[in-house]
Amino acid sequence: MNKKVLKAVFPAAGLGTRFLPATKASPKEMLPIVDKPLIQYGAEEAEAAGIESLVFIIGRAKRAIPDHFDKAYELEVELESSGKEKLLQIVQNVLPEEVSCIYLRQAEAKGLGHAVLCAKPVVRDEPFAVILADDLIKGDSGRGAMAQMVDVYDKYQCSVILVEEVPPEETNKYGIVEVTEDDGETAIISSIVEKPDPKDAPSNLAVVGRYILTPRIFDLLEQTGTGKGGEIQLTDAIAELLKFEKVRAYRVKGKRYDCGSKLGYMEATVEYGLEHPELGEDFAAYLRGLACTPGSKASKE
Ligand code: UTP
């Protein structure tokens, strides 16, 4: 019988150096976009894709993630006794009750591949999703990226990796794939390489933070040595996986924000702010005012 994707792994043990000092004592994945932390957007995306268990890989200074998904007794009592019903609902409904959360520690930040390998004892022999919450993705027509990918997995029963075309000069920031049998939506990956120099890159199709992987990846990760940047790279294990199984690339229908970078984070904040049901109009008026203020930076652009 074909197995369903029921578990999602959230590697969240990176050092987040691009956001220091904000990430000194708090994980990057807890940075809010308007009023919700990145990790909650990721969890909601997984839940909307039918995923039942969320496996968080956490490191030092990551207590805020388990705390966020846990019950907050004192806060709830306080909100209830002061009649703040709406806020109480928000706090109590961070995740639906039927979704379970599992927390595993990655003692040392040895790389994304190593973080994913930490999930092996929980995921075991099932296909599973990997969600990098700092890649925030707004799916078209409200359909999340992971739900789209699960459809592709259900159809082809093979690993699926989310890709996006990036400017050719930026290939050295991403895993880059070479594909065949490209129908414009999905394609078969023929090779994958971590952060190639633009002159060596096989294409400009970049891996962005969503994967559905078959469990064979764990055996391959166990044999993967350190790669680019002295880290155990998931990309290197996927390159090995290609020797045994088909792996498909899927182009997301939606927009991705690279919230691991300051600029991407600010773009997401502005765009989600403009769409926010309570803030949107006032925020748009504020931005228009800024653009019209003589001498302001926004008016000069
Ligand atoms: P990044 O490449 O964004 O690294 O990791 P980082 O450490 O989080 O951030 P910078 O580059 O120093 O600013 C990609 C994803 O892999 C996770 C991160 O938490 C992020 O979700 N990761 C990375 C781990 O869980 N463990 C690691 O050892 C490395």
Side-chain angles (χ1 to χ4, degrees), residues 56-77:
F56 298 95
I57 311 298
I58 55 175
R60 43 163 274 295
K62 299 283 171 166
R63 266 196 35 207
I65 294 176
D67 285 350
H68 181 71
F69 291 109
D70 206 354
K71 204 168 164 59
Y73 286 103
E74 292 90 346
L75 179 61
E76 290 181 25
V77 168

Side-chain angles (χ1 to χ4, degrees), residues 194-226:
E194 182 67 12
K195 301 191 173 88
D197 267 357
K199 63 177 182 357
D200 305 320
S203 78
N204 65 336
L205 262 189
V207 175
V208 291
R210 301 290 183 276
Y211 309 73
I212 293 176
L213 296 167
T214 56
R216 190 194 293 259
I217 199 74
F218 292 127
D219 300 336
L220 300 169
L221 279 168
E222 275 166 347
Q223 294 156 27
T224 303
T226 49

Side-chain angles (χ1 to χ4, degrees), residues 47-58:
E47 195 259 320
I51 284 165
E52 296 173 355
S53 302
L54 312 182
V55 184
F56 298 95
I57 311 298
I58 55 175

Side-chain angles (χ1 to χ4, degrees), residues 13-24 26-29 31 60 62 109 134 260:
L15 299 178
T17 53
R18 284 169 291 168
F19 263 101
L20 282 168
T23 47
K24 189 177 169 204
S26 169
K28 167 172 73 175
E29 292 78 8
L31 290 172
R60 43 163 274 295
K62 299 283 171 166
D134 57 344

Side-chain angles (χ1 to χ4, degrees), residues 163-242:
V163 298
E164 181 180 85
E165 273 161 32
V166 296
E169 65 278 11
E170 290 185 12
T171 58
N172 56 0
K173 294 188 192 163
Y174 298 91
I176 298 291
V177 297
E178 187 176 23
V179 295
T180 60
E181 299 180 35
D182 189 352
D183 66 11
E185 188 178 272
T186 76
I188 293 176
I189 297 180
S190 51
S191 74
I192 182 166
V193 55
E194 182 67 12
K195 301 191 173 88
D197 267 357
K199 63 177 182 357
D200 305 320
S203 78
N204 65 336
L205 262 189
V207 175
V208 291
R210 301 290 183 276
Y211 309 73
I212 293 176
L213 296 167
T214 56
R216 190 194 293 259
I217 199 74
F218 292 127
D219 300 336
L220 300 169
L221 279 168
E222 275 166 347
Q223 294 156 27
T224 303
T226 49
K228 263 258 153 79
E231 296 191 334
I232 297 174
Q233 297 290 353
L234 183 58
T235 302
D236 294 343
I238 294 171
E240 284 302 303
L241 188 64
L242 296 178

